[in-house]
Amino acid sequence: MLAYQKILIALDVFAVYQPVLERGLQLANKDAEVSLIHATLPHVYFEPYGAAFETDFVDNINKQSREKLQQIAKDHGIPAERAYSLLGYASDEIQKQAEKIHADVIVIGTHGRSGLKLLLGSTANAVLHGVKQDVLAVKI
């Protein structure tokens, strides 16, 4: 079996991401291109009011995630141009970026909750069923 050459690691930089990052890096040989991705929702809803906040609030979150992702990349020797902090729905952005960079595998975290419905989580499940690449789901 050939080693993966292009690895896309999807991180939630505002949650526990270390197990996902470590597992993705373990897949990489010395010639592999490792990329990181984080997606910020384009809007935020506050329950129970259903009020959507966009613009400044979302821009601030996206800026924080970009800075955090860049620091993670730097700490692990990943070039800044392969750290993608995007605005959009995580599963959609992960799928699009995986195609764009011709990733061989996507590494993504799972919630690790019990029950069949919660086995993967909605983002990991959507990614798994929407891509051509292998997907490694890491239990957090």
Side-chain angles (χ1 to χ4, degrees):
M1 181 175 147
L2 296 175
Y4 293 114
Q5 294 303 304
K6 294 192 177 190
I7 301 165
L8 180 61
I9 305 173
L11 301 177
D12 181 349
V13 298
F14 298 117
V16 176
Y17 64 83
Q18 291 85 356
V20 180
L21 178 62
E22 289 171 11
R23 191 66 175 112
L25 293 173
Q26 287 173 354
L27 290 177
N29 63 27
K30 65 180 174 80
D31 298 322
E33 288 183 14
V34 176
S35 299
L36 305 177
I37 186 170
H38 175 272
T40 301
L41 282 172
H43 47 65
V44 177
Y45 289 98
F46 288 94
E47 294 296 334
Y49 308 106
F53 289 85
E54 298 179 21
T55 60
D56 292 342
F57 185 75
V58 173
D59 289 343
N60 187 38
I61 292 172
N62 193 36
K63 179 181 178 209
Q64 290 176 25
S65 69
R66 187 178 330 104
E67 290 170 356
K68 179 76 172 169
L69 196 65
Q70 290 292 325
Q71 187 61 51
I72 294 167
K74 182 179 178 183
D75 291 346
H76 292 87
I78 299 168
E81 63 271 10
R82 290 202 312 255
Y84 306 101
S85 181
L86 306 172
L87 194 60
Y89 292 95
S91 60
D92 294 342
E93 296 305 323
I94 293 166
Q95 290 170 357
K96 286 190 276 187
Q97 195 63 35
E99 285 296 316
K100 184 175 179 180
I101 67 170
H102 306 288
D104 300 317
V105 64
I106 300 167
V107 182
I108 191 167
T110 69
H111 295 296
R113 298 180 184 130
S114 61
L116 291 175
K117 280 188 163 184
L118 297 175
L119 180 63
L120 285 176
S122 60
T123 300
N125 191 41
V127 168
L128 178 65
H129 293 291
V131 295
K132 300 172 193 165
Q133 297 85 353
D134 289 346
V135 177
L136 173 60
V138 178
K139 187 174 179 180
I140 299 175

